[in-house]
Amino acid sequence: MGEPLTVGIVGAGKISAAYAGTLAQLPGVRLTRVADLDAGRAAALAADLPGVLPVPPDELLTSADVDAVLNLTVPRAHATVALAALAAGKHVYGEKPLATGTAEAATVLAAAASAGRTVACAPDTVLGTGLQTARASLAAGDIGTPVAATAFMVTPGHERWHPSPQFYYEPGGGPLYDMGPYYLTALVHLLGPVRRVTGLASTPRPTRTTLDGVTFPVEVATHVTGALEHASGALTTLMMSFDAWTGRLPRIEVYGTEGTLNVPDPNGFAGDVHRFTGATQEWTKLPDLAGYRDAARGYGVADLARALRTGTPPRASADLAYHVLDVMESLLSAATTGTTTEVASTCTVPPLVPLAADPDDA
């Protein structure tokens, strides 16, 4: 297998502990350093990670024992940190979205190409057994030709649980940019890239309030609904909301000429996949057919390490993340103009993940 990919975390916020815990269990990567503008947060994260040093961000970027930067900063800083890491000769794996907009994201892709370095991007949840089993079922023709899908996510808002939720309501946030990447990345895996979109968006509440009583402005649409036309011809109905308490609609469902596939929450790695066929008139729970078993946040970083060792593209590729960002940007543009918007980009759908314990076995 060779030497593990050494990784430094920039951004020691809420999600960083989940990544760090996973990386510590995977043989293909080794976490070496952690940095944050708040030195106390970096120190607190490193305290639970033997051999990991808390350092200032600039020092992490120039560290010889960091091959790749895991960028866990807030969305508005994603491109800035990625560009700095690439300029320092590092590979990058970033949290979603790739950037706050396609123009900014394009500078990251250009910098990566110029530096000869690889950029990968969350979500990696699509690499687990849930979504990959659904994808394997579609590839086997279990429900015939896919003709349509639904994707549905509602919550009353992240301020009800997050200690510092303001960034969820700034550019790069909102339900579409925060949760949309999970659903849209899953849909691209299942149905292929998106050709054009139309939609509507609203902001019913102009302010939100934190758990400790601080009221702050909402700068983005918090309820987005739209229709997507995939290049395959399949049509998806999408709804993303921070303005609804709950619902009973499936997270994702795919409708084919011979049946229906019920897909688990793409914000998780596993979950049951159920198939209905017209021939049997019954729902059947499928066994795990593909995907990384028992995966968690950080498997995308390990998949990046596998890709670098084998000279293949990472499955959580920057091209896929750019296309998802383009779809989201196009959807909001369509909502503003009241028109159907063509999606300028496309992407290569990553190969199916074989049923494996970790990326080194894939």
Side-chain angles (χ1 to χ4, degrees):
M1 184 179 70
E3 292 297 315
L5 182 75
T6 54
V7 178
I9 292 177
V10 177
K14 193 172 180 65
I15 197 63
S16 62
Y19 273 96
T22 301
L23 295 181
Q25 306 301 316
L26 292 172
V29 294
R30 180 166 62 89
L31 188 58
T32 57
R33 297 182 183 241
V34 59
D36 194 283
L37 292 176
D38 182 337
R41 291 206 307 186
L45 179 61
D48 294 327
L49 302 169
V52 176
L53 297 175
V55 295
D58 289 348
E59 183 177 330
L60 184 146
L61 294 179
T62 58
S63 295
D65 62 351
V66 172
D67 300 321
V69 169
L70 174 52
N71 182 5
L72 303 182
T73 57
V74 296
R76 64 177 179 273
H78 285 179
T80 300
V81 172
L83 290 170
L86 291 166
K90 312 300 184 185
H91 303 289
V92 176
Y93 183 95
E95 252 301 335
K96 47 73 189 170
L98 181 61
T100 57
T102 55
E104 193 177 53
T107 66
V108 173
L109 299 187
S114 177
R117 292 295 179 265
T118 299
V119 173
C121 186
D124 54 3
T125 49
V126 294
L127 306 181
T129 53
L131 190 282
Q132 292 295 314
T133 290
R135 185 174 163 186
S137 177
L138 288 179
D142 287 351
I143 64 167
T145 302
V147 296
T150 56
F152 173 80
M153 190 290 304
V154 299
T155 176
H158 293 349
E159 71 275 12
R160 301 185 67 83
W161 59 270
H162 199 286
S164 302
Q166 287 89 337
F167 72 92
Y168 287 114
Y169 298 92
E170 297 172 350
L176 185 62
Y177 276 61
D178 176 49
M179 297 301 295
Y182 297 107
Y183 289 78
L184 291 166
T185 304
L187 289 165
V188 170
H189 271 260
L190 295 170
L191 302 174
V194 176
R195 181 163 52 204
R196 59 177 178 166
V197 300
T198 189
L200 295 168
S202 64
T203 308
R205 288 183 282 166
T207 62
R208 299 282 174 131
T209 303
T210 66
L211 292 170
D212 55 1
V214 176
T215 297
F216 59 92
V218 175
E219 302 177 47
V220 294
T222 52
H223 186 97
V224 181
T225 185
L228 321 175
E229 181 185 50
H230 296 264
S232 64
L235 304 178
T236 291
T237 302
L238 179 77
M239 176 175 162
M240 302 277 113
S241 183
F242 282 177
D243 289 294
W245 280 96
T246 188
R248 290 183 174 179
L249 292 175
R251 297 298 186 178
I252 294 179
E253 217 164 51
V254 181
Y255 311 102
T257 54
E258 307 298 330
T260 296
L261 206 62
N262 188 279
V263 183
D265 186 349
N267 192 26
F269 288 83
D272 295 339
V273 178
H274 292 90
R275 179 187 64 207
F276 179 92
T277 64
T280 64
Q281 293 289 299
E282 292 181 346
W283 284 100
T284 303
K285 177 182 174 296
L286 299 183
D288 290 343
L289 301 173
Y292 294 134
R293 291 192 184 101
D294 303 318
R297 278 174 172 78
Y299 266 63
V301 182
D303 187 82
L304 169 62
R306 175 206 56 79
L308 292 170
R309 286 194 298 273
T310 59
T312 57
R315 287 185 173 91
S317 70
D319 286 344
L320 172 56
Y322 181 91
H323 179 63
V324 167
L325 180 62
D326 195 8
V327 172
M328 295 190 296
E329 191 172 83
S330 299
L331 183 54
L332 290 181
S333 174
T336 300
T337 61
T339 62
T340 297
T341 300
E342 301 290 327
V343 179
S345 68
T346 188
C347 67
T348 300
V349 179
L352 186 74
V353 178
L355 195 58
D358 65 61
D360 291 314
D361 299 328

